[in-house]
Structures are given as C-alpha cells and as structure tokens.
Amino acid sequence: MKPIVSYIVIISVMLAVSIDVKADNGYPSRCEVLRGYDECDVRSRCDSVDLQPIEGMWYYAEEGMTVVIERCEEAKLYEAQDYRIVYVDGEDMMLLPGTVIGYCKPTADACKYKVWIYGEQKMSVLENLQVCLGELSDDASRLIIKRSEVNMRVRVNFTHFLPKLLKGISVSSSGVDEVNFPEGFRKIYPKVKRKQGKVRYL
C-alpha cells in the first residue's frame, strides 16, 4: 500500500509544480513544493540569518503541524517584504515537507499582516488562496489568525484550510453567543523572552 500512496503523492506534486499560474494577488494559484525543509535544515537557516519578528518556526495546534515563516527570495515573483509559510512536519501524511501552504505581507500596522492560506486540498496539492488577518503579539511569540465573518451568522473559518475545510463552516445557535477562541501559530524556534522591555531571541 505504501508504494501506491507514494506514487500518487509524486504524481500530484508533479502536476502541482508543472502549472505555473499566478492568482490575482500575484502568488501561485497552486502550492509549490520546495527542497531542503527538514527540521534540522530549517533550524540551521534560522540560526544563520538576521530574523524579522515574524520569521521562525511555528506550531499550528489546530492543524497539528509545524511550519516555518520566511522571507521570499525570488525577487522576480515576490516583493522584498513578502513572506511564505512552508510546511515542515505534521499529522497530514499527504503533505510533503517544503509544501508552501500560504503567504503573508506586512501592513501599515507593524503588528498586523495580510495572510493568504490555501483553502482547498486535493491529495498533496493545495489551491484556492483565502485571505485573512494575522496579528503578531508584542513579544512575537504568537501569530493570531482572525477569521472572516459572513452574513446570517454563518461562520467560515478560513484557518481550517486542509482536510477540515468543510468542517470549518458552522451555523451559530439562535440566541446563544458563540465564544471565539483565538486561533493561529505559536512560535517554537527561536524561543523569545522579554528582558527590560525588549524582545530577545535565544
């Protein structure tokens, strides 16, 4: 069974990377798969560059995955301040390490980012970028994703973007206020702590 699954994954990735179509926002309409995203390699790269507050390895508890947020280096495709969100490890066996699951861009507010995350998954291929707001905590240890609210109290949670996409749609019970718990990423590397009002990377 494993060879068959591996073959399907390889074919899906080949189809994804063979189509270089850009969405209206300038990003690829389907995910890219990059090389060199073993966790040790990612940590080593984080140690070798001067990281921006949003950069580093993050854990997304709602999806059970580890990702890295890093600057895009391809100047012809992206603006200098664009960042990509890349899958490193997690519970989804269909995703390969190095799969780009989304992008983010800073706004006029230094703590807020415009975040695009692929909203549909077909085997190992992600597509259909969805936009939401990401808010970075003061100590750069949390990136809270704020979902979009739709009319008629139908809540579409774009942060549940992988196999849980359909489960991310729910209708609130009438007369009952729903508690909106924060969702998003927790930084796991490099760890940060406050000292004398400043953020220090360990």
Side-chain angles (χ1 to χ4, degrees), residues 40-156:
C40 291
D41 293 336
V42 173
R43 286 176 178 262
S44 178
R45 285 201 297 274
C46 288
D47 292 338
S48 65
V49 297
D50 184 15
L51 296 177
Q52 299 298 314
I54 196 172
E55 292 184 290
M57 292 179 62
W58 302 77
Y59 182 67
Y60 183 22
E62 284 79 13
E63 293 294 341
M65 63 170 57
T66 299
V67 302
V68 60
I69 299 180
E70 61 184 11
R71 277 164 283 186
C72 296
E73 300 297 338
E74 296 85 348
K76 292 183 179 180
L77 295 180
Y78 311 106
E79 297 178 7
Q81 289 186 315
D82 284 11
Y83 301 86
R84 60 189 168 210
I85 308 170
V86 186
Y87 178 82
V88 176
D89 192 19
E91 300 174 359
D92 193 325
M93 301 303 294
M94 295 303 298
L95 288 181
L96 297 176
T99 300
V100 179
I101 66 172
Y103 302 89
C104 55
K105 181 192 295 287
T107 66
D109 187 325
C111 292
K112 294 182 179 179
Y113 292 79
K114 196 171 184 179
V115 179
W116 290 267
I117 296 179
Y118 289 104
E120 295 180 10
Q121 180 179 13
K122 298 177 182 178
M123 303 300 287
S124 62
V125 178
L126 304 178
E127 56 187 8
N128 189 18
L129 282 171
Q130 306 287 345
V131 64
C132 48
L133 174 66
E135 188 166 346
L136 192 65
S137 62
D138 290 339
D139 62 356
S141 66
R142 298 285 192 278
L143 180 63
I144 305 301
I145 303 297
K146 296 190 175 181
R147 54 180 172 253
S148 300
E149 297 294 333
V150 183
N151 292 333
M152 299 176 62
R153 302 198 68 189
V154 176
R155 177 170 57 83
V156 181

Side-chain angles (χ1 to χ4, degrees), residues 2 12 26 31 53 107 122 125 169 178-179 190 201:
K2 288 185 178 180
S12 300
C31 69
T107 66
K122 298 177 182 178
V125 178
I169 302 176
E178 183 178 356
V179 178
Y201 288 89

Side-chain angles (χ1 to χ4, degrees), residues 130-195:
Q130 306 287 345
V131 64
C132 48
L133 174 66
E135 188 166 346
L136 192 65
S137 62
D138 290 339
D139 62 356
S141 66
R142 298 285 192 278
L143 180 63
I144 305 301
I145 303 297
K146 296 190 175 181
R147 54 180 172 253
S148 300
E149 297 294 333
V150 183
N151 292 333
M152 299 176 62
R153 302 198 68 189
V154 176
R155 177 170 57 83
V156 181
N157 186 348
F158 288 130
T159 62
H160 285 178
F161 55 89
L162 296 178
K164 304 175 185 177
L165 179 63
L166 295 179
K167 296 181 182 179
I169 302 176
S170 62
V171 181
S172 302
S173 301
S174 58
V176 178
D177 292 329
E178 183 178 356
V179 178
N180 293 324
F181 294 101
E183 300 177 7
F185 305 120
R186 172 175 55 86
K187 183 172 284 185
I188 57 177
Y189 192 82
K191 293 184 179 180
V192 298
K193 73 174 184 179
R194 286 184 174 275
K195 184 176 181 179

